[in-house]
Amino acid sequence: MDCRFRPVFAIDEPFLWEMLYYAAHEDEEPGASLGKAQRNPFLTKYVADWGKPGDLGVIAYEVGTLEPIGAAWLRVFAGTNKNCDDIENGTPELAIAVIPSCTGKGIGARLLTQLFTSAATAYPAVYLSVRATNPAKRLYERLGFVVIGELTNRVGGKSFHMLKSFRAQGTDSVACK
């Protein structure tokens, strides 16, 4: 699939909500809907009022139609909004999704590569959490993320805290509980 990339703008917030629906695996839960995801206080913080200081994101779009097909974005959380207390303040958290009909085509890896080019100049590291059963964990590891801890996720399953440092290896020593 031929796609290109562009920054995320405030006008893209509806598409970010759709991508968050997939990133949070809401589509796998009984009775789930995009509207319910938008009212979920745990998820709201990832998208609401996009364009705050520190927000950084990339959208993949199909060349022929200009339709968005995926997004990867970063948002900085502080205090009780952070999902890992041991992550330094100012370290953004990653969210990423590709529309289901386009998964498995390398778009996610390309989105992350594009995003990390910009993120490396703005942040020392990027954090994410991923379900233990999510095959994307292998992609994250290939791109330099390391597991720094485990957690019980919001649906009661096992997830991993992962961190990608943009600094030279050995300069970060973070452990998440």
Side-chain angles (χ1 to χ4, degrees), residues 123-126 143-146 163-172:
Y123 300 107
V126 173
L143 293 176
F145 282 88
V146 295
L163 189 72
K164 174 181 176 59
S165 179
F166 297 117
R167 299 180 191 149
Q169 280 195 332
T171 61
D172 287 319

Side-chain angles (χ1 to χ4, degrees), residues 19 36 55 71 73 102 111 124 137 151 157 165 174:
M19 293 297 91
K36 283 184 180 179
D55 286 352
W73 67 100
C102 294
L111 273 164
K137 181 178 178 278
L151 71 146
S165 179
V174 177

Side-chain angles (χ1 to χ4, degrees), residues 143-166:
L143 293 176
F145 282 88
V146 295
V147 172
I148 58 169
E150 294 181 14
L151 71 146
T152 300
N153 58 41
R154 64 186 171 78
V155 296
K158 180 179 173 181
S159 288
F160 296 106
H161 294 285
M162 298 184 81
L163 189 72
K164 174 181 176 59
S165 179
F166 297 117

Side-chain angles (χ1 to χ4, degrees), residues 20-139:
L20 183 61
Y21 177 76
Y22 293 116
H25 301 276
E26 289 284 301
D27 59 316
E28 299 170 5
E29 296 180 22
S33 70
L34 182 56
K36 283 184 180 179
Q38 290 172 316
R39 292 185 301 276
N40 180 326
F42 179 81
L43 299 178
T44 300
K45 67 184 181 180
Y46 289 93
V47 175
D49 303 317
W50 180 261
K52 295 177 181 180
D55 286 352
L56 182 63
V58 177
I59 287 182
Y61 63 92
E62 191 173 4
V63 170
T65 65
L66 303 182
E67 290 294 317
I69 56 175
W73 67 100
L74 302 174
R75 185 162 252 188
V76 177
F77 302 115
T80 59
N81 276 332
K82 291 188 336 183
N83 290 327
C84 179
D85 291 336
D86 293 331
I87 296 296
E88 284 184 39
N89 283 332
T91 300
E93 186 167 345
L94 171 70
I96 179 173
V98 175
I99 60 172
S101 62
C102 294
T103 59
K105 299 177 181 177
I107 296 166
R110 292 174 63 198
L111 273 164
L112 291 174
T113 300
Q114 292 286 323
L115 182 61
F116 294 160
T117 298
S118 299
T121 63
Y123 300 107
V126 173
Y127 161 81
L128 65 80
S129 63
V130 61
R131 290 183 181 185
T133 57
N134 188 336
K137 181 178 178 278
R138 291 187 305 275
L139 168 64

